[in-house]
Amino acid sequence: MNNEHKILVDEIIHLLQGGNAHADFKKAVDGLPVQLRGAKVDKLPYTIWQLVEHIRIAQWDMLEFSKDGNHQSPKWPEAYWPKELEPQDDQTWNNSLKQIDDDLNELIELVKTGDIYGKIPHGDGQTILREALQAADHNAYHIAEIIVIRRLLGAW
């Protein structure tokens, strides 16, 4: 791996893990009171639970698309957003958080070991680089929304 490639890979990984400019996902949900997972804030369309699930589904989709030519993405947009305002129980919440973490680690490994510049064979021009940057950007956007909701609920 040449030095420029290593610098880029390291920066992508750093960005996927939260970068320097904002809180990462774990910090955004850490210590969130159980009763606020599904709390609705006036004039905001989503609860924290719906944002967490949306992050999970979208990140999983980008990861699977990047590695599996047989992957079928969920129907957009309805299958990317849960209708339930809150998780069914603690196990559902914890499973979602674990999958987000596991999928992020797998995406990071793919960035480390894959050809980040080559076109994904079953795509229409996408690369692992593009999918990783898209995942980082998407996650950062929704993590910020989680933090805003927490602030509005007095829990940040």
Side-chain angles (χ1 to χ4, degrees):
M1 177 182 320
N2 68 38
N3 194 46
E4 288 82 14
H5 179 76
K6 182 178 179 347
I7 290 168
L8 179 60
V9 166
D10 289 347
E11 287 300 318
I12 294 165
I13 292 166
H14 187 67
L15 187 60
L16 284 165
Q17 293 172 332
N20 294 320
H22 49 82
D24 64 20
F25 179 76
K26 287 180 183 178
K27 184 170 184 177
V29 297
D30 186 47
L32 176 69
V34 173
Q35 69 274 16
L36 297 182
R37 293 173 183 167
K40 198 86 163 87
V41 175
D42 188 38
K43 298 183 182 174
L44 292 180
Y46 307 113
T47 66
I48 291 173
W49 166 246
Q50 289 170 315
L51 288 165
V52 165
E53 268 297 273
H54 177 67
I55 289 169
R56 181 190 66 76
I57 294 164
Q59 181 180 262
W60 164 82
D61 184 41
M62 288 179 261
L63 170 64
E64 291 302 314
F65 171 78
S66 296
K67 64 180 194 163
D68 181 359
N70 294 316
H71 173 67
Q72 295 294 314
S73 292
K75 186 171 169 80
W76 176 259
E78 59 271 10
Y80 285 80
W81 288 99
K83 296 192 182 3
E84 306 81 21
L85 297 178
E86 61 188 358
Q88 185 175 16
D89 51 31
D90 286 343
Q91 182 176 352
T92 303
W93 173 260
N94 292 330
N95 288 346
S96 188
L97 299 184
K98 183 177 182 330
Q99 185 181 345
I100 290 168
D101 192 48
D102 290 349
D103 287 349
L104 179 61
N105 288 331
E106 191 172 348
L107 183 56
I108 288 169
E109 192 58 33
L110 189 59
V111 167
K112 286 180 182 176
T113 61
D115 174 6
I116 63 171
Y117 308 108
K119 290 183 180 174
I120 295 172
H122 53 276
D124 56 10
Q126 298 94 332
T127 64
I128 292 171
L129 174 61
R130 178 180 164 207
E131 294 300 306
L133 291 173
Q134 180 175 278
D137 181 53
H138 181 264
N139 288 355
Y141 179 84
H142 291 301
I143 289 166
E145 290 182 308
I146 290 170
I147 293 168
V148 166
I149 292 172
R150 286 190 68 167
R151 285 182 180 194
L152 291 171
L153 293 171
W156 183 247

